[in-house]
Amino acid sequence: MLLQEGEKSSSDLLFFRLPFSVLQEGPASKRVKMKWHSYFLSILSAAAFANALIGHEQCVSFTSGANAGFPIVSGGNAAPIYISASDSPSVHRALKDFVSDIGKVSGKTPQIFNTTSFAGLKPKSKPIIVGTVAALKPILGNSTADTIQGLEGKWESYVGKVVKNPLPGVPEAYVLLGSDRRAVIYGLYELSEQSGVSPWYWWADVPIQKHSSIFASTCQHGSPSVKYRGIFINDEQPAIQSWAQEKFTNGTGQPFNHQFYEHVFELILRLKGNYLWPGTMPYVIRVSE
């Protein structure tokens, strides 16, 4: 479901069967929450996706100093973020999640500049530049030539680092480059998670950690060792169907609509997954949605 056009399937596949069984009231919200079977704990899938398959070294810190890194939020100010208007809509969506996450953590929400031209930029503070190689290569040119060369043609690989003079009039920026759209998304969600927002913040009410300052150092990951990583939603009736119908419809509509899958897809991507195997019922996924 999350493959790019033209990509082929592979035997290099891992998925987790995640059955839903018991409905209970969530402790931190008024939503009705779902409880996994004890032998398929959410921690299992989180650990499998985020650590075993595409684990990451720490690249976010919260204390200022000579080696603190690039200031995403510092001194009560958030760095502005620039993205090409021509980049993938999925990258734009993940960036909106990222700035929302940073706002929830620090109380300061970065401003997004969705631009068609990077010429003549004069940001008031050091900016963050985000995008795919395809979108940023014509813009950044020689300033990131080595990084771009190392990413081109790779599968889900990204690099985030401080770059000197990435653009005329911009002496320094934190540039997050991805070989493809999912690579950028993974990089953004990795920074979000390390900043204090768990991938399970919505589904499991994991509290968001609070920090007044957030700094990013070099953050990178090559192609994952397992190419396709995903989940199979099982036991969809009656538990998850009844829950989805109550929460995403008027009680009688199609339960597995785009609102439901928006949260499912976001969770998969935050866990660095790229594959969904829907349940077997004919109404579990609708092409029209």
Side-chain angles (χ1 to χ4, degrees):
M1 291 302 167
L2 301 178
L3 304 184
Q4 294 182 2
E5 184 177 355
E7 292 173 1
K8 297 180 179 179
S9 61
S10 168
S11 58
D12 193 3
L13 168 66
L14 175 66
F15 71 90
F16 286 89
R17 175 179 176 268
L18 298 179
F20 298 90
S21 59
V22 181
L23 297 179
Q24 62 179 12
E25 188 69 23
S29 74
K30 294 181 179 179
R31 297 193 305 270
V32 173
K33 305 297 291 182
M34 290 174 292
K35 182 178 181 181
W36 310 107
H37 279 315
S38 60
Y39 54 91
F40 278 111
L41 298 175
S42 61
I43 189 68
L44 174 63
S45 59
F49 284 147
N51 295 325
L53 301 184
I54 148 173
H56 215 297
E57 296 182 357
Q58 190 69 23
C59 55
V60 171
S61 61
F62 309 105
T63 305
S64 61
N67 300 318
F70 182 90
I72 297 176
V73 177
S74 181
N77 297 307
I81 304 180
Y82 290 87
I83 183 171
S84 171
S86 65
D87 219 329
S88 169
S90 57
V91 173
H92 282 264
R93 160 59 202 269
L95 181 57
K96 290 180 180 178
D97 286 346
F98 173 72
V99 300
S100 175
D101 292 345
I102 295 301
K104 292 172 184 175
V105 170
S106 68
K108 302 294 179 181
T109 302
Q111 185 175 358
I112 298 175
F113 292 89
N114 183 7
T115 181
T116 56
S117 173
F118 284 74
L121 294 182
K122 295 182 179 180
K124 295 180 180 179
S125 57
K126 297 177 182 179
I128 299 171
I129 301 173
V130 172
T132 58
V133 166
L136 292 182
K137 181 178 180 179
I139 297 166
L140 298 178
N142 292 332
S143 66
T144 57
D146 291 342
T147 301
I148 288 175
Q149 185 176 6
L151 290 173
E152 282 187 304
K154 297 292 181 62
W155 174 272
E156 299 176 349
S157 301
Y158 66 86
V159 175
K161 65 178 183 178
V162 174
V163 175
K164 301 291 185 181
N165 302 307
L167 297 166
V170 180
E172 183 177 285
Y174 189 87
V175 179
L176 177 59
L177 271 168
S179 60
D180 53 38
R181 59 181 179 170
R182 287 189 303 279
V184 184
I185 293 169
Y186 296 158
L188 288 168
Y189 283 147
E190 181 65 33
L191 290 172
S192 283
E193 183 174 5
Q194 292 198 23
S195 295
V197 179
S198 166
W200 295 93
Y201 77 96
W202 193 88
W203 287 96
D205 289 321
V206 177
I208 293 173
Q209 301 173 28
K210 303 293 184 179
H211 302 282
S212 58
S213 298
I214 304 172
F215 300 90
S217 56
T218 298
C219 203
Q220 59 187 343
H221 204 288
S223 298
S225 57
V226 176
K227 193 169 187 179
Y228 296 107
R229 310 163 306 279
I231 62 174
F232 168 46
I233 298 177
N234 195 30
D235 292 355
E236 61 270 17
Q237 167 63 14
I240 191 174
Q241 177 184 338
S242 300
W243 174 85
Q245 193 165 51
E246 178 183 343
K247 295 304 166 186
F248 300 113
T249 76
N250 59 6
T252 60
Q254 166 56 245
F256 303 112
N257 55 27
H258 69 280
Q259 293 171 303
F260 167 78
Y261 278 109
E262 181 178 0
H263 292 289
V264 172
F265 290 150
E266 181 187 336
L267 175 65
I268 292 172
L269 290 169
R270 282 184 182 266
L271 292 175
K272 317 303 188 302
N274 59 8
Y275 186 92
L276 171 67
W277 184 344
T280 56
M281 296 291 189
Y283 48 76
V284 166
I285 194 163
R286 302 174 70 193
V287 175
S288 61
E289 286 282 352

